[in-house]
Amino acid sequence: MDGLVKVKIIATLGPSSRDHDVVKKMVREGAAGFRINCAHGDEADWLEYVKIVREVSSELDQAIPLILDTPGPQVRSGDFQEFKVVRGDKVLFSMDPDAKEGKHIVVPAREFYSAASIGDTILYGDGEVSFRVSEVGEGFVEALALNEGVVKPRKKVVVEGKEYDVLFPSETDRRVFKFSSEVKASFVALSYVRRQRDVEVARDILAKHGWVPGLIAKIETRSGFNNMGEIIRLVDGVMVARGDLGLHFPLEELPLIQERIVREAVRQGRVVIVATEVLESMIENPRPSRSDVVDLYNSVKDLVDAVLFTNETAVGKYPVEVVKWARKIIDAAESSLSTALVSEYRSSIEARDLLDKYVQGLVLLAESLGGVIVGYSRSGRMPTLLSKYRPQIRIYVGVGDKLLAEKLSLRYGLNIVDMSRLISGEDEYERGVRKLLETLVGKGHVRPGDIVVETYAKPRDNMHEIRISQLQ
């Protein structure tokens, strides 16, 4: 529990990290949370990942959030034998899995054939192979390969610049919602969110299952980007899903799109996560490329809450090394954050009520003293506001609820301690702060000479307390 950690690391679980010891090593190296990509596998696979993370969480006595990522209402190819293409090859896309004509891609989704027109570009997978549509008919599309590559089954199929008219949520999404209630997941990430209504529908379905986790909206289509203000208002966090954004927008526009999504999310006080191809070079290599290092470094400079690694830790050869390098790069970027950059960021934030103003002043006071904030929260609002101001000092907050501890653990600059087994009763706040400070001193996180700013807020009683002392 390093009090200087600000930007958090989230690792995706997969074949490379489907191991208790690997997950434990990733946590020790700095992974704060884990994602399960529910576009792959089934409930038995997902449950195995959940059990591994929960076991590690218990062993290390650390709140570790779990994100279940829904596939969303996307169009994917079906099962077929992979094949190679070179530029100019004719390829048939069709509904019929038994079609025998030449090179054949099964796409069992009528929405694809309704969207495609002659002259359109089809981006396959993450765009590694592309095709130009030459003919469209009932249940089939003929296209010419625009580059050399390998065409594999069960990949995304996108018609560039177009969105499919598909229902939200998908049937698999509904299975994920049900599963999330059974395992009490910390978050569910909603893929291909296009409008406010999508979030409302997902929340209603989750509520019927009796468990509403934190919701993360993945902004990855044009309509999602255009409606991001109202979408972000309804969720706990937002993910900048650069892989799919790159299929729906010109690549040169991605940096500006990422910046705009991040700014809107932090303006509304939501968790913001940057994802896809952060350290992509480490899928095959034990060291990142220079361009990947710069990309991650700049994301930290954008003051995001977290970065998410996908293929790097799910199928890559070096999942633990990915986390090691990420932590090293993030630490270097955080150590060089300028006061001017943080001040400029804070100047764009408005304190909306008494508690917000209290927290804003608390951060400035603690920073001016070079102190350590030690607090306790029941609702989670105070630590959420602390994170909103992107604090540059150590902050430890105890909470009395396990799910709340997991949800807050992804927020910028916070070290969250689950005290649900230790604290309860009327004097919960006072005892919570005192017990947390004793724990931190015992573990060496707070040492003699440190200036400690003890705090808690009781919004219902309109009471906010600060106590400052120097540890002897």
Side-chain angles (χ1 to χ4, degrees):
M1 185 167 52
D2 183 349
L4 295 177
V5 171
K6 301 180 184 73
V7 174
K8 307 301 175 66
I9 294 169
I10 306 169
T12 299
L13 297 171
S16 295
S17 46
R18 193 172 186 158
D19 180 87
H20 179 279
D21 290 340
V22 171
V23 170
K24 193 170 184 177
K25 286 177 183 176
M26 285 197 286
V27 173
R28 290 191 182 280
E29 293 295 341
F34 291 92
R35 164 184 175 259
I36 300 171
N37 183 1
C38 297
H40 304 290
D42 56 22
E43 283 88 338
D45 298 304
W46 308 338
L47 184 59
E48 183 177 348
Y49 291 128
V50 171
K51 286 181 176 178
I52 290 172
V53 173
R54 294 276 163 80
E55 287 170 1
V56 171
S57 173
S58 178
E59 288 177 22
L60 299 180
D61 192 23
Q62 180 175 334
I64 301 177
L66 262 173
I67 302 172
L68 299 183
D69 197 333
T70 65
Q74 60 183 254
V75 168
R76 282 182 173 264
S77 60
D79 290 317
F80 57 88
Q81 191 68 36
E82 70 175 59
F83 57 87
K84 293 182 179 180
V85 293
V86 297
R87 182 179 176 85
D89 278 355
K90 182 184 289 187
V91 174
L92 174 70
F93 295 80
S94 85
M95 298 277 292
D96 183 5
D98 298 319
K100 304 297 183 184
E101 297 183 32
K103 296 181 176 180
H104 175 221
I105 300 174
V106 180
V107 181
R110 295 194 178 279
E111 296 84 359
F112 166 69
Y113 304 99
S114 299
S117 301
I118 293 174
D120 281 347
T121 299
I122 298 172
L123 300 173
Y124 194 81
D126 286 325
E128 58 267 21
V129 184
S130 56
F131 303 89
R132 181 80 67 206
V133 177
S134 57
E135 185 179 348
V136 177
E138 183 65 31
F140 78 90
V141 166
E142 279 191 354
L144 300 178
L146 297 178
N147 64 285
E148 182 177 344
V150 178
V151 179
K152 298 181 179 181
R154 307 193 66 79
K155 296 290 185 179
K156 286 176 288 190
V157 184
V158 173
V159 180
E160 188 174 29
K162 295 184 176 180
E163 292 186 35
Y164 299 122
D165 184 18
V166 291
L167 292 175
F168 183 98
S170 69
E171 284 305 312
T172 306
D173 293 345
R174 291 175 180 273
R175 284 169 48 208
V176 176
F177 294 162
K178 182 174 184 294
F179 180 79
S180 74
S181 70
E182 293 169 354
V183 300
K184 293 183 167 47
S186 322
F187 294 94
V188 167
L190 305 174
S191 295
Y192 301 103
V193 175
R194 294 166 293 179
R195 59 183 72 88
Q196 177 179 334
R197 178 63 179 159
D198 293 344
V199 179
E200 293 170 343
V201 169
R203 194 182 299 278
D204 287 346
I205 296 171
L206 286 160
K208 289 175 182 176
H209 288 302
W211 179 263
V212 181
L215 294 182
I216 296 173
K218 296 172 67 178
I219 305 296
E220 45 199 336
T221 65
R222 284 186 177 272
S223 54
F225 178 71
N226 292 337
N227 297 322
M228 67 176 174
E230 65 183 41
I231 291 171
I232 292 171
R233 180 174 57 83
L234 295 178
V235 294
D236 301 271
V238 60
M239 189 183 296
V240 186
R242 302 187 302 183
D244 281 279
L245 281 170
L247 300 177
H248 291 274
F249 290 90
L251 292 177
E252 66 274 13
E253 295 182 12
L254 283 186
L256 179 59
I257 289 170
Q258 174 173 319
E259 180 181 321
R260 288 184 59 187
I261 297 172
V262 169
R263 290 195 174 190
E264 180 63 23
V266 296
R267 187 186 72 80
Q268 294 198 37
R270 304 298 189 257
V271 171
V272 57
I273 303 166
V274 169
T276 317
E277 296 182 351
V278 181
L279 290 178
E280 190 81 355
S281 56
M282 289 194 71
I283 292 175
E284 296 290 337
N285 302 294
R287 289 168 58 88
S289 68
R290 291 160 182 79
S291 59
D292 281 355
V293 171
V294 172
D295 178 33
L296 176 52
Y297 190 96
N298 287 335
S299 292
V300 175
K301 294 287 190 177
D302 286 340
L303 298 174
V304 300
D305 290 271
V307 289
L308 168 66
F309 298 96
T310 53
N311 290 336
E312 300 96 323
T313 57
V315 297
K317 295 178 180 178
Y318 307 99
V320 177
E321 286 78 3
V322 166
V323 177
K324 284 183 183 178
W325 271 104
R327 188 73 269 154
K328 188 184 301 186
I329 297 163
I330 290 170
D331 288 347
E334 289 177 346
S335 68
S336 66
L337 282 176
S338 68
T339 302
L341 187 150
V342 177
S343 296
E344 180 185 0
Y345 163 84
R346 289 174 180 167
S347 67
S348 66
I349 301 173
E350 179 184 356
R352 299 180 180 179
D353 56 24
L354 178 60
L355 179 58
D356 203 342
K357 292 175 182 178
Y358 163 78
V359 169
Q360 184 183 44
L362 174 64
V363 170
L364 295 175
L365 173 63
E367 288 183 347
S368 70
L369 295 170
V372 180
I373 294 178
V374 177
Y376 186 84
S377 176
R378 179 183 290 175
S379 69
R381 183 150 187 259
M382 183 190 72
T384 296
L385 292 172
L386 282 169
S387 178
K388 181 176 95 169
Y389 288 102
R390 295 311 192 245
Q392 300 302 300
I393 36 85
R394 289 179 287 156
I395 296 182
Y396 301 91
V397 180
V399 297
D401 178 81
K402 182 177 181 292
L403 175 64
L404 181 59
E406 291 175 356
K407 290 172 71 173
L408 291 172
S409 291
L410 292 186
R411 286 194 171 268
Y412 185 100
L414 301 183
N415 294 279
I416 302 297
V417 182
D418 174 15
M419 304 182 71
S420 56
R421 292 173 295 177
L422 302 174
I423 301 298
S424 63
E426 290 301 315
D427 59 345
E428 177 181 356
Y429 289 92
E430 292 86 349
R431 287 198 305 122
V433 173
R434 189 167 63 249
K435 185 68 176 177
L436 176 58
L437 182 55
E438 290 173 2
T439 301
L440 296 172
V441 171
K443 293 185 176 181
H445 297 306
V446 178
R447 303 175 181 87
D450 284 341
I451 296 173
V452 178
V453 182
E454 299 176 58
T455 183
Y456 60 82
K458 293 182 178 179
R460 290 182 182 177
D461 299 334
N462 205 26
M463 177 180 175
H464 311 84
E465 179 165 313
I466 299 175
R467 184 184 301 115
I468 302 171
S469 62
Q470 188 164 28
L471 201 64
Q472 301 301 315

